[in-house]
Amino acid sequence: MSLKSDCYDNAPIESFWGKLKIEWLNKRKYKTRAEAKKAVFEYIELFYNPRRTHSSNGYFTSLQLFLTV
């Protein structure tokens, strides 16, 4: 944890939640909470992690890095 009111502390997670809402959740309607939980899981495990490029690893996807090891 960082000091109170450190705006840079939450920047990565705020960015993640913003992308999740825009790219995945706002496009759908859910009948149950279980459907919504499944959609969040699918976004994190099937879309966000393997396909998204990251500046911290040279703009490779995590799937590309995994396959080169």
Side-chain angles (χ1 to χ4, degrees):
M1 298 291 289
S2 67
L3 298 175
K4 184 177 179 181
S5 74
D6 182 4
C7 64
Y8 299 107
D9 184 42
N10 286 336
I13 197 65
E14 292 293 334
S15 174
F16 169 78
W17 285 119
K19 288 180 175 89
L20 171 70
K21 290 176 185 177
I22 291 170
E23 294 177 352
W24 207 254
L25 298 179
N26 286 344
K27 298 177 184 178
R28 304 173 184 190
K29 298 284 184 187
Y30 303 102
K31 294 179 182 176
T32 65
R33 187 178 297 245
E35 285 181 8
K37 285 182 178 182
K38 182 179 176 189
V40 170
F41 177 81
E42 288 174 355
Y43 178 80
I44 293 169
E45 292 298 325
L46 303 177
F47 176 75
Y48 187 81
N49 285 339
R51 295 193 186 122
R52 183 172 301 283
T53 59
H54 299 277
S55 60
S56 63
N57 64 16
Y59 291 98
F60 289 103
T61 65
S62 46
L63 185 58
Q64 289 172 323
L65 290 175
F66 178 74
L67 294 176
T68 58
V69 172

